[in-house]
Amino acid sequence: MELTQVRYFVTLSRTLNFTRAAEMHHVSQPALTRAVQRLEEELGGPLLYRERTLTRLTELGRSMLPHLQAMLDAADNAINLAAARRTQPRCSLKIGLGPGISASVIAALIRDVAAALPKLTVSFEENDALRITELMLADDLDCALLPGDWAMPERLNRWPLYQDRAAVFLPDRHELSQMQSLGASDLGGETILIGDRCGGFGVRLIETTGQEFRQFRCGGTAAHVLELVGAGLGVAILSERITLPEALTKCALNQPLLERPVHLASVAGRPQGPAVSGFIKLCRAQRV
Amino acid sequence: MSLRDQLSQRIEQALQNEAYKAAYDQVITTLRDNGFLPNIISVGDRFPDFMLPDASGGLVDLTSLLARAPVIIQFFRGDWCPYCRMMLDSLAEALPDIKAAGGTLVALTPDTHGLALDAKIAHHADFVVLSDVDYGVGLAAGVIFRLPPLYRNRLVLSGTDLAVRHGNAAWFLPVPATFVLDGEGIVRWRFADPDFTKRAEPADVIEVVRALKTGSLG
């Protein structure tokens, strides 16, 4: 299929008016109609019902539109990104991180974007999945890493990024810190620190094992909970991807194995600046 | 054995299976009947500029590659395709000669999620492999088509889910076209065939690169 055919169809899907779509692309209406007909031949059926007073998408048109829109955006973004590499504009990348999801996972990818676009400003917002979603829809965040079990609205595109796994974080001086891996039974005498914005692995450990643990609850993020672990208040069950602060150790938790998928999300069809499109492409291309 | 001979041996054998033959024929007749080839950018056209993620990390742009022109742009479907595997092996083998002739080889696949890197490692491909995420560059080059139902169903049954591999449920693929670009990014030679078992012969590509380098390409 051809770029202009796809471009004409995407415009037509918005205007639902052949004359207006042709005007927007500065082509004659028959030229636009022929291009869309060729696309229809290639995709194997009509994309639009052409009625006297009403133009509307067919079922095939509706099902193909998001794919054609994504492909058209990708074509434009690949060109815009290459142009930005030459002109080096100021650009920004605003990333949301769901509870307990570490920025360490994407740090190298941000470095790669900054290597191409040195005037990049990056910001992070760590919050619960609902708030992150609201911020994305309000255009205050460009994209986000969110837990895969979060029921995202349909307006968000999502791609599985990696399988997150829980580990036990404890002080270096702790007697269990020499162990290669730990099970729930090893943690019987420990206080488990439960943060309300840490990804929920601690609560899952307690619920899945049914074991009695001493608990200490804290309204904070993984970074806050790790401060408390360092002070000797207890141990924490957090994502193994979290970078280890000084004087702490992390041990794999293998009994039970606690996992969760982490997805990359962004708002479907929203125009993306070069840093955003570069970052999303890097995330999707690689296995992080 | 030439790549051409390896590919034709493989397809002759595959066509013994009637269900496969029906799926294969549907792909080729669909592309032939709907006038696909004229949409592909051709000799004299400027190849669309791009910046894409490298399988090995980082972003790669065409302008940087053109500093080491002639640039060979090779689209491929993915490591799941036996014909692509043969082609990648053959290109990896030809790479020292391509480099000696002064060419820079870049391969583009719609595969994502680390699969482009898997292909690069599996085929000892010491050339740049890029993920054409959501087929953007392929669309701009005119090489993308929608996979017809019979072939698509065969892939699903064999566990090759392109929706997962591409992170996009469109079921689009590129025809495995080859473009040789000069230092200005102009297409100076092209190979494109609706039959995905027909590929540019590495020896022919090397000849083109040599000719471009010496200024003797007609």
Side-chain angles (χ1 to χ4, degrees), chain A:
Chain A
M1 60 196 90
E2 207 190 350
L3 184 62
T4 47
Q5 295 167 358
V6 176
R7 204 181 291 287
Y8 293 169
F9 170 68
V10 169
T11 303
L12 199 47
S13 73
R14 286 198 204 106
T15 61
L16 296 176
N17 182 313
F18 280 82
T19 312
R20 208 174 311 144
E23 280 168 10
M24 287 169 75
H25 289 290
H26 310 291
V27 293
S28 68
Q29 190 188 316
L32 181 123
T33 303
R34 270 197 306 277
V36 173
Q37 277 169 349
R38 283 204 303 274
L39 184 63
E40 289 177 317
E41 282 162 20
E42 196 166 327
L43 294 178
L47 298 168
L48 296 131
Y49 293 114
R50 297 159 173 87
E51 290 160 14
R52 190 179 289 269
T53 54
L54 190 67
T55 299
R56 57 198 169 90
L57 295 180
T58 61
E59 199 180 318
L60 178 66
R62 273 200 306 277
S63 72
M64 291 310 296
L65 178 61
H67 303 310
L68 295 170
Q69 172 82 63
M71 182 161 69
L72 183 61
D73 291 345
D76 291 340
N77 288 339
I79 292 171
N80 293 341
L81 190 55
R85 171 88 175 82
R86 288 192 301 275
T87 57
Q88 306 272 300
R90 290 188 187 285
C91 48
S92 67
L93 176 56
K94 294 170 284 182
I95 304 169
L97 295 169
I101 295 174
S102 171
S104 69
V105 176
I106 48 170
L109 305 181
I110 294 169
R111 179 203 58 207
D112 291 340
V113 176
L117 303 166
K119 292 180 189 160
L120 171 71
T121 310
V122 181
S123 58
F124 298 101
E125 169 74 25
E126 192 178 345
N127 217 314
D128 60 73
L130 174 62
R131 181 67 189 140
I132 295 283
T133 302
E134 287 169 354
L135 289 169
M136 272 197 287
L137 292 173
D139 207 12
D140 290 325
L141 287 175
D142 297 313
C143 57
L145 271 63
L146 291 171
D149 61 1
W150 166 243
M152 290 186 206
E154 276 198 13
R155 284 179 60 199
L156 295 190
N157 281 329
R158 58 154 73 189
W159 302 276
L161 267 196
Y162 64 96
Q163 191 72 359
D164 201 5
R165 188 174 283 182
V168 184
F169 287 72
L170 63 177
D172 277 347
R173 58 183 182 277
H174 196 287
E175 58 184 9
L176 294 175
S177 68
Q178 303 305 317
M179 304 278 282
Q180 287 291 314
S181 63
L182 293 170
S185 55
D186 298 316
L187 302 173
E190 305 298 326
T191 299
I192 310 287
L193 300 183
I194 309 284
D196 65 353
R197 280 185 279 153
C198 292
F201 283 131
V203 172
R204 276 175 62 191
L205 174 75
I206 293 163
E207 285 175 358
T208 48
T209 59
Q211 211 173 305
E212 288 287 325
F213 289 98
R214 279 200 306 275
Q215 294 173 40
F216 185 90
R217 292 192 173 260
C218 134
T221 64
H224 299 133
V225 167
L226 286 172
E227 294 288 353
L228 299 179
V229 173
L233 225 69
V235 303
I237 317 297
L238 302 169
S239 163
E240 64 174 3
R241 301 285 189 127
I242 291 174
T243 308
L244 204 57
E246 238 175 276
L248 295 191
T249 298
K250 67 181 154 187
C251 294
L253 178 69
N254 60 7
Q255 192 61 46
L257 200 60
L258 299 176
E259 293 185 310
R260 62 170 176 174
V262 173
H263 289 189
L264 173 71
S266 73
V267 179
R270 178 172 291 164
Q272 294 169 349
V276 179
S277 74
F279 175 73
I280 290 177
K281 278 193 177 136
L282 276 167
C283 285
R284 289 181 57 194
Q286 286 167 27
R287 202 175 281 130
V288 297

